[in-house]
Amino acid sequence: MKQKILIIGGVAGGATAATRLRRLSEETEIILFEKGEFISFANCGLPYHVGGVIKDRDDLLLQTVEGMKDQYNIDIRNYSEVTSINYEKKELTIHHYPTNKIYQETFDKLIISTGAKAFIPPIKGIDSALNVFSLRNIPDMDQIKHYIETQNVQTATVIGGGFIGLEMMENLKELGIHVQLVEMAPQVMPNIDIEMAQQLHTQINLHGVDLFLNDGLKEFQENGKQLLLTSGKVLQTDMTILSIGVIPENTLAKEAGIELGFKQAIKVSENFETNLADIYAIGDVIEVPDFVDQSPTNIPLAWPANRQGRLVADIINGLSIDYSGTQGTSVAKVFELTVASTGNSERLLKNKGIDFTAIHIHPNSHAGYYPNASPIHLKLLYGTDGKILGAQGIGTDGVEKRIDVIATAMKLGATADKLADLELAYAPPYSSAKDPVNMLGYTADNILHQKVNTFQWYEVDNLIEKNSYFLDVREDFELATGEINGSHLIPLNQLRNRLDELPKDETIYIYCQVGQRGYNAARVLMHHGFTVKNLDGGYKTYKIANYQLTDRHIPESKKETLKQQTTSTKQPAFETIEVDACGLQCPGPILKVKEQMDKMAQGQQMIVQASDFGFHADIEAWAKNTGNTIIDNQIKDGKVVATVAKGNLNLDLLPEEGKLIEGKNGATMVVFSGDLDKALASMIIASGAAAMGKDVTLFFTFWGLSILKQQKVKKKGLGKMFDIMLPNSANKLPISKMNMAGLGSKMIKTVMKQKNVESLPTMIKKANELGVKFVACTMSMDIMGIERDELFDFVEFGGVATYLGDSEQANLNLFI
């Protein structure tokens, strides 16, 4: 039977429906109305033409009116806005702009594909601001591009951190414009979770974009040249892009009495039919079932719109369809990073009350030994029955491939552990023998079958407050990049020989860098009867999740000064060392830097490149905590490229004996001396600082370790020789001046007793009661044969990273 089918809206869904209708029937009369000039244009490509990445504007026009008319014999009427729907008469009213003609057109079937429109809130001052734009179509793009080219735009502000906002941010930056991004939520990219979004925040930070989170636009001032934020901050701007979000373009439907649903989107049946018979709706304007739980939602993406356009044509032609909902699979580019997701986020699952398990892994995109491997950060969410509920990925290579595989498995009903069964293509340039998707499956299998219990990054701080037992199974050198406060370090390869140091009466919370060594440690301890949990995703996930926005830019003037210091005529010229740490999984890059730095001369420079963007923060933390100097640290050609000089070249920051250093509310002291008078001074200062509310750490190394001795133990070999030569308790210390074979120290003790000054051992114990932290250097203990049993039982044991970590929080730093 010949039908007359009218379609409102020519982009994505509407154009797809029209061409599918024609392929199914040559007899159908098809009229497509588009209020603008263009049909079937690539709106996802608009930001990239603004930024000059897509050079030719015509490349965005996927199909012209004339071409589509000729190929499909469709009556296409552009510049024609449908102004009303009369359901009783089955009639549309149309306004044709070029002729200003208003006329009616009847229909047998109607397809509404009006899409979505930019949400523009009633912000004070917006009417007088002539430099404010949004981006939804080609005319919008043309206006933005023209304004930039003619108005000498130096600073642009993007309001909103969704897909379009982030793409505009990047493309404006590509044009050399300083960009400010304002987002009302705590994160950009709302379809992923905060710990994943933090990686985007890091990348945005690295590229010099001023990012304002948890803040919104309150008012336009000075005709749009000044922005007042809800926090009270005032930003200067030459132009503003509003990218706050989109809402369904439902005006026609609402006025026609069509039922609306989620977020005022059009409610449709499983056959895309509205509550009014013979009227269908598709695309960004409709409510769809969420694939995860069939709850109503609205997902304005290109793939669902195109798919629905095809399916509605099938329905109208009597064909059966099966549309099980929309997963919301998406991908975006944020500078060098690719971010992709499918299904529900953790935040959405919590809001729905759906039980789930989350796992994080950080594998390489392909075999590490093949050049240019880079890490992928993957997150998988699944239910108690193993059903895949969602996945997220971020990295530079192979991210969308993995998310597409998971989206396919999810659509076909595979459980999380079955991801391990997927036989995926492997060659060193493309993957690993165990693909990252397989690794997610193995991890899920371990948890589902109770091979390990895990805890999440957001539980760590609460566990710290409860004084839970954290076991760090990384290597000592990794501590310089950060650690969880109060952790006990036992490297994995030493664990089996040190089981007696671990508590059996409480849960041990294990962590390593990315979770793999933690899992191995958990299995060892579980076999020995310990109760353990492994930190999902390792310290790397915890560290990324707690990233703080900062100005990481090193001024060119400072770079030049540092370079001059390393090439000073006062020291010999050194060859610059080049280190390639690309493809190495954490902690590989830092280990490679450390190994090379150990061979270098003071002042010598190293240029190191790494494919893991987390290395940008890691190398700064490592250099700071090991006394080396960052000269340059930036993103080049999709890699982190850092220049590091051996030694602290900022001479003003070198701690001299007794020199105060401005910092934070803490006090740290290296106690190197084993002299009684200096030990007394250390305790007096430490106790005084603790009494003033400071967090105090005393780090005892070499001769200073004698201060911590409270008893003598039997030893052999070199340990026994050191015992003969050194004091065996705090009561046996000499003084630095006029010791006179011990007479001087006796004189001091006598005077102390007369003046009611407490003895050194008592001072030590009282300092501990005041909260002073006593740390013994394990490396010095090993060299000097000092046993742990010799020292006061409240003494903690650690390396230099432990002390340096505390010194970061100190405004008093002494060397005694």
Side-chain angles (χ1 to χ4, degrees):
M1 183 181 95
K2 185 175 180 180
Q3 297 185 88
K4 182 179 182 182
I5 301 174
L6 306 186
I7 302 172
I8 306 174
V11 182
T16 299
T19 55
R20 177 67 172 173
L21 285 167
R22 175 58 68 227
R23 284 192 292 267
L24 293 176
S25 172
E26 277 291 314
E27 297 181 353
T28 302
E29 181 183 0
I30 306 167
I31 305 176
L32 186 151
F33 299 97
E34 170 55 50
K35 69 178 180 180
E37 176 184 358
F38 305 100
I39 61 164
S40 193
F41 63 88
N43 53 358
C44 295
L46 301 180
Y48 298 99
H49 181 59
V50 172
V53 177
I54 298 173
K55 304 294 183 186
D56 193 338
R57 177 178 179 273
D58 290 343
D59 289 343
L60 298 172
L61 306 177
L62 304 180
Q63 182 65 276
T64 64
V65 172
E66 292 75 17
M68 193 166 172
K69 278 183 178 179
D70 293 342
Q71 185 174 351
Y72 293 100
N73 187 30
I74 295 171
D75 184 355
I76 300 176
R77 304 178 187 179
N78 59 341
Y79 297 115
S80 299
E81 181 179 7
V82 176
T83 57
S84 67
I85 302 170
N86 188 323
Y87 180 65
E88 298 299 325
K89 294 182 178 180
K90 284 199 169 182
E91 180 181 87
L92 302 183
T93 298
I94 300 100
H95 182 188
H96 183 240
Y97 288 112
T99 61
N100 206 27
K101 178 183 176 182
I102 297 175
Y103 65 99
Q104 284 72 42
E105 195 75 58
T106 60
F107 62 84
D108 297 314
K109 306 282 186 185
L110 173 66
I111 300 173
I112 300 173
S113 182
T114 47
K117 60 184 177 181
F119 174 59
I120 309 294
I123 303 170
K124 184 178 179 181
I126 192 171
D127 293 336
S128 61
L130 302 178
N131 59 347
V132 180
F133 306 88
S134 61
L135 181 62
R136 285 294 295 169
N137 52 42
I138 285 181
D140 291 343
M141 176 191 74
D142 291 340
Q143 289 179 25
I144 292 171
K145 199 165 173 57
H146 177 73
Y147 192 87
I148 291 171
E149 291 169 352
T150 60
Q151 300 300 315
N152 189 30
V153 173
Q154 300 296 312
T155 298
T157 304
V158 178
I159 309 297
F163 287 100
I164 297 296
L166 291 176
E167 289 166 354
M168 282 304 301
M169 169 201 72
E170 179 178 345
N171 282 281
L172 290 168
K173 191 72 180 174
E174 284 287 328
L175 295 174
I177 296 171
H178 176 63
V179 182
Q180 303 168 143
L181 178 65
V182 179
E183 169 56 56
M184 189 175 291
Q187 65 171 82
V188 300
M189 196 67 76
N191 55 302
I192 64 175
D193 291 309
I194 181 65
E195 78 279 15
M196 303 295 284
Q198 284 280 48
Q199 298 171 67
L200 303 183
H201 301 160
T202 304
Q203 204 73 1
I204 292 168
N205 215 168
L206 294 182
H207 282 271
V209 173
D210 292 335
L211 180 58
F212 301 91
L213 299 173
N214 291 301
D215 214 342
L217 176 57
K218 183 177 181 180
E219 181 181 346
F220 288 98
Q221 300 176 342
E222 304 293 332
N223 295 323
K225 292 290 185 178
Q226 187 168 282
L227 308 177
L228 175 63
L229 305 187
T230 53
S231 65
K233 292 187 179 78
V234 175
L235 306 181
Q236 304 300 320
T237 188
D238 296 319
M239 72 181 301
T240 298
I241 308 292
L242 292 179
S243 182
I244 299 172
V246 296
I247 54 176
E249 179 53 277
N250 61 10
T251 306
L252 278 173
K254 187 176 183 180
E255 291 175 351
I258 293 173
E259 186 179 357
L260 305 179
F262 184 85
K263 289 188 176 179
Q264 295 295 289
I266 298 173
K267 288 192 76 167
V268 295
S269 69
E270 64 274 12
N271 291 330
F272 302 105
E273 193 168 17
T274 69
N275 61 307
L276 301 182
D278 298 324
I279 297 183
Y280 300 82
I282 57 173
D284 296 355
V285 74
I286 70 169
E287 172 189 288
V288 295
D290 186 324
F291 178 79
V292 170
D293 65 344
Q294 298 300 299
S295 62
T297 188
N298 172 249
I299 300 178
L301 292 172
W303 185 90
N306 279 281
R307 178 64 177 154
Q308 293 157 15
R310 178 186 176 92
L311 294 179
V312 75
D314 289 354
I315 287 292
I316 290 173
N317 280 274
L319 302 176
S320 62
I321 68 165
D322 179 16
Y323 189 71
S324 54
T326 301
Q327 291 171 251
T329 307
S330 63
V331 64
K333 178 179 179 293
V334 180
F335 294 113
E336 295 81 9
L337 293 178
T338 298
V339 51
S341 70
T342 189
N344 285 186
S345 66
E346 180 172 333
R347 182 178 61 258
L348 189 55
L349 291 172
K350 286 180 177 177
N351 290 341
K352 291 179 177 182
I354 297 175
D355 291 334
F356 66 91
T357 297
I359 56 177
H360 300 77
I361 63 173
H362 309 275
N364 271 338
S365 56
H366 61 250
Y369 56 81
Y370 189 86
N372 298 319
S374 59
I376 300 177
H377 309 282
L378 288 172
K379 178 177 184 177
L380 183 71
L381 297 154
Y382 59 89
T384 53
D385 57 354
K387 177 185 176 181
I388 300 173
L389 304 175
Q392 301 162 30
I394 295 179
T396 58
D397 183 43
V399 174
E400 72 288 351
K401 172 172 127 178
R402 273 63 187 216
I403 294 299
D404 284 344
V405 169
I406 297 169
T408 304
M410 181 178 173
K411 181 70 101 176
L412 299 179
T415 54
D417 54 329
K418 292 303 179 183
L419 294 177
D421 285 342
L422 298 180
E423 188 174 340
L424 304 174
Y426 160 59
Y430 304 106
S431 183
S432 300
K434 281 194 294 188
D435 188 86
V437 173
N438 297 140
M439 293 170 69
L440 282 171
Y442 287 122
T443 305
D445 180 74
N446 286 332
I447 297 172
L448 283 167
H449 294 91
Q450 299 181 337
K451 297 294 190 298
V452 69
N453 290 319
T454 60
F455 66 106
Q456 291 295 319
W457 64 269
Y458 50 77
E459 298 179 73
V460 170
D461 291 343
N462 187 46
L463 290 169
I464 291 173
E465 290 180 8
K466 293 179 178 179
N467 294 317
S468 300
Y469 191 96
F470 286 95
L471 176 61
D472 185 347
V473 296
R474 299 176 298 166
E475 296 297 321
D476 183 74
F477 73 88
E478 296 177 71
L479 300 183
T481 64
E483 62 179 319
I484 294 174
N485 290 338
S487 299
H488 303 265
L489 176 69
I490 302 181
L492 177 60
N493 58 10
Q494 300 177 23
L495 186 59
R496 288 181 177 86
N497 297 323
R498 296 175 60 179
L499 296 177
D500 58 339
E501 299 177 28
L502 300 173
K504 279 213 169 185
D505 58 348
E506 60 178 308
T507 300
I508 297 173
Y509 295 90
I510 303 173
Y511 72 96
C512 64
Q513 196 67 13
V514 296
Q516 186 172 354
R517 284 174 290 172
Y519 167 69
N520 291 334
R523 293 301 303 161
V524 170
L525 295 185
M526 288 170 72
H527 282 304
H528 286 85
F530 291 91
T531 302
V532 298
K533 286 188 176 184
N534 183 37
L535 178 57
D536 173 55
Y539 181 74
K540 187 168 190 173
T541 299
Y542 173 75
K543 183 177 179 179
I544 291 170
N546 287 281
Y547 174 75
Q548 298 292 318
L549 292 173
T550 182
D551 180 8
R552 308 184 72 87
H553 177 66
I554 301 174
E556 292 297 326
S557 58
K558 182 177 179 182
K559 291 182 190 177
E560 189 58 35
T561 300
L562 293 172
K563 287 177 182 177
Q564 289 173 1
Q565 286 180 318
T566 59
T567 56
S568 169
T569 55
K570 295 180 182 178
Q571 55 185 338
F574 298 115
E575 175 189 3
T576 297
I577 305 298
E578 294 189 3
V579 174
D580 185 358
C582 293
L584 295 180
Q585 293 209 42
C586 192
I590 287 294
L591 176 58
K592 199 163 187 178
V593 168
K594 177 189 178 299
E595 290 173 344
Q596 189 60 54
M597 191 67 78
D598 289 345
K599 304 172 187 175
M600 291 166 54
Q602 192 78 4
Q604 190 172 8
Q605 288 187 28
M606 172 199 306
I607 298 177
V608 55
Q609 61 175 346
S611 51
D612 182 354
F613 287 109
F615 181 73
H616 190 281
D618 284 349
I619 188 62
E620 290 193 358
W622 182 86
K624 182 177 181 180
N625 289 335
T626 55
N628 297 298
T629 304
I630 296 290
I631 293 176
D632 196 11
N633 189 14
Q634 57 182 293
I635 305 299
K636 292 181 181 177
D637 300 323
K639 297 181 180 68
V640 177
V641 181
T643 303
V644 190
K646 183 165 184 174
N648 192 330
L649 304 185
N650 252 338
L651 299 180
D652 290 338
L653 298 181
L654 281 174
E656 300 168 358
E657 184 170 335
K659 179 180 177 180
L660 297 182
I661 297 180
E662 291 302 319
K664 299 180 181 178
N665 186 33
T668 54
M669 201 181 307
V670 176
V671 184
F672 178 81
S673 172
D675 295 331
L676 174 62
D677 45 346
K678 293 183 179 179
L680 290 168
S682 301
M683 292 308 117
I684 293 168
I685 296 171
S687 298
M692 292 173 63
K694 291 184 178 294
D695 297 322
V696 183
T697 297
L698 300 182
F699 184 73
F700 295 83
T701 183
F702 285 99
W703 323 120
L705 288 168
S706 297
I707 300 170
L708 299 180
K709 292 181 179 179
Q710 67 168 347
Q711 62 183 356
K712 190 173 182 178
V713 298
K714 290 184 179 181
K715 299 179 187 176
K716 296 180 180 178
L718 289 175
K720 185 175 182 179
M721 291 180 64
F722 271 112
D723 258 7
I724 294 171
M725 294 184 288
L726 294 175
N728 56 33
S729 75
N731 274 326
K732 302 294 184 182
L733 301 181
I735 59 173
S736 60
K737 306 289 184 182
M738 300 189 307
N739 188 48
M740 299 175 291
L743 182 60
S745 60
K746 288 180 180 179
M747 290 170 57
I748 284 184
K749 290 176 185 176
T750 300
V751 174
M752 288 170 61
K753 191 173 183 180
Q754 291 173 350
K755 300 294 184 181
N756 291 320
V757 177
E758 293 167 329
S759 66
L760 178 58
T762 303
M763 285 186 178
I764 293 171
K765 291 175 182 177
K766 289 200 171 182
N768 171 61
E769 291 170 2
L770 283 168
V772 174
K773 180 178 176 182
F774 291 77
V775 180
C777 175
T778 51
M779 183 271 290
S780 300
M781 289 174 64
D782 289 342
I783 291 173
M784 301 173 69
I786 296 175
E787 304 289 342
R788 298 187 179 207
D789 291 344
E790 293 182 70
L791 309 185
F792 289 101
D793 54 13
F794 51 75
V795 172
E796 299 179 25
F797 303 93
V800 67
T802 303
Y803 162 72
L804 290 172
D806 288 349
S807 70
E808 287 187 46
Q809 308 302 319
N811 61 12
L812 176 64
N813 194 4
L814 301 177
F815 185 92
I816 294 180

